[in-house]
Structure formats: C-alpha cells, structure tokens
Amino acid sequence: MIYLANDHGGVKLKNKIKKFLQKKSLEFIDLGTNSTESVNYVDFAKLLCEKVLENKQNKGILICKSGLGMSIAANRFKGIRAGLVYNKKASKLARLHNDCNVLVLKGKTFFYKQIVSTFLNTSFEGGRHKERIDSIDKI
C-alpha cells in the first residue's frame, strides 16, 4: 500500500500526486491533512510511519513546505528510511542504494510525476548496500 501524508504546506502537491496515482491505477490511502490551516507536521509523519511499518511492502510519501521537517521526524522511527528527494536521479538512488520506504518531497516539487514513478518502480539493489542499511538500525 502507498500512504500519503502532509502538512498544510503540502496539500496542493499531495492532491496532484493523488490524481497521478489514480491515473496509474495505484492504490493509496490519504492520511491528511486536507487543509491549508497550520498543523503539526510531526503528527502526520508519525501516522504515516506507523502505517508503513505494518508491512514491508508498504511505501509512504510525505510532503511539507521544505521537506526537511517531515524527513527529520520520519527518520526517528526504527525501520523507516525516509529520503528527501528533489529530482529523479536522487529518487532512484534512494531506492537502489538506501532502500528508502518513505519518499519526502517539498511542497513545490517540480517533476513530481517522474520522482514518484521512479521511487515506486525502483527496487533495492542489495549487495554491499544491505550491510550498510542493516547497520543503520544498530545506531
């Protein structure tokens, strides 16, 4: 399952991503917010991370104005590897080398279709990267 969550700075982009996912016939769950009134991004990052951790196949997309707050909050959860991504190449590497299960975007991300599509369609490369990923949870 793909989970989406955002704060007030990510509502517009999330709605665009929802339309994109619907056109691709991909299932997703929108965890909010749907308002541009100020909210605490940490609450939405927590909600999404808990859902992603329920199943190893789950992926998440978090959006806030800069992407930084969501990224910091999400990476506090053991088992979550959230990558703040600004372009297609970083999206591919986030999956290939870091096995990111949460994509983090800033509210005004351009080329979001390419970034999201690449993230969802790229598999973890494993190999030498697996050892590195495993060591993260030992910190």
Side-chain angles (χ1 to χ4, degrees):
M1 180 59 66
I2 303 165
Y3 292 95
L4 306 173
N6 57 282
D7 71 358
H8 50 280
V11 173
K12 289 181 184 177
L13 179 59
K14 180 192 63 182
N15 289 334
K16 291 178 183 178
I17 291 171
K18 284 171 57 173
K19 288 179 185 175
F20 174 70
L21 295 175
Q22 287 169 337
K23 285 182 182 177
K24 297 282 186 185
S25 299
L26 295 171
E27 285 188 57
F28 63 88
I29 295 175
D30 179 355
L31 301 171
T33 184
N34 293 309
S35 171
T36 55
E37 290 187 35
S38 184
V39 296
N40 186 344
Y41 64 85
V42 176
D43 296 335
F44 293 93
K46 180 179 186 287
L47 181 61
L48 180 132
C49 289
E50 290 171 345
K51 292 292 189 183
V52 168
L53 289 170
E54 288 176 0
N55 183 314
K56 288 187 178 200
Q57 302 306 314
N58 290 343
K59 298 286 183 280
I61 301 173
L62 287 170
I63 310 161
C64 69
K65 186 173 182 178
S66 69
L68 292 169
M70 287 290 200
S71 179
I72 292 167
N75 279 308
R76 299 291 299 202
F77 289 80
K78 184 177 180 177
I80 292 293
R81 290 167 309 283
L84 175 56
V85 172
Y86 292 140
N87 59 44
K88 182 180 174 181
K89 182 176 182 178
S91 182
K92 185 172 186 168
L93 291 173
R95 290 287 307 129
L96 273 177
H97 293 180
N98 303 112
D99 197 18
C100 283
N101 49 9
V102 175
L103 173 65
V104 184
L105 300 171
K106 64 180 184 167
K108 290 187 179 179
T109 297
F110 301 101
F111 309 110
Y112 67 89
K113 291 178 184 177
Q114 293 175 350
I115 293 169
V116 170
S117 183
T118 299
F119 182 81
L120 296 175
N121 292 307
T122 302
S123 297
F124 180 47
E125 193 172 60
R128 71 183 191 276
H129 305 293
K130 173 90 170 86
E131 182 179 325
R132 295 171 186 163
I133 297 305
D134 290 344
S135 69
I136 291 171
D137 284 336
K138 295 176 185 172
I139 294 175

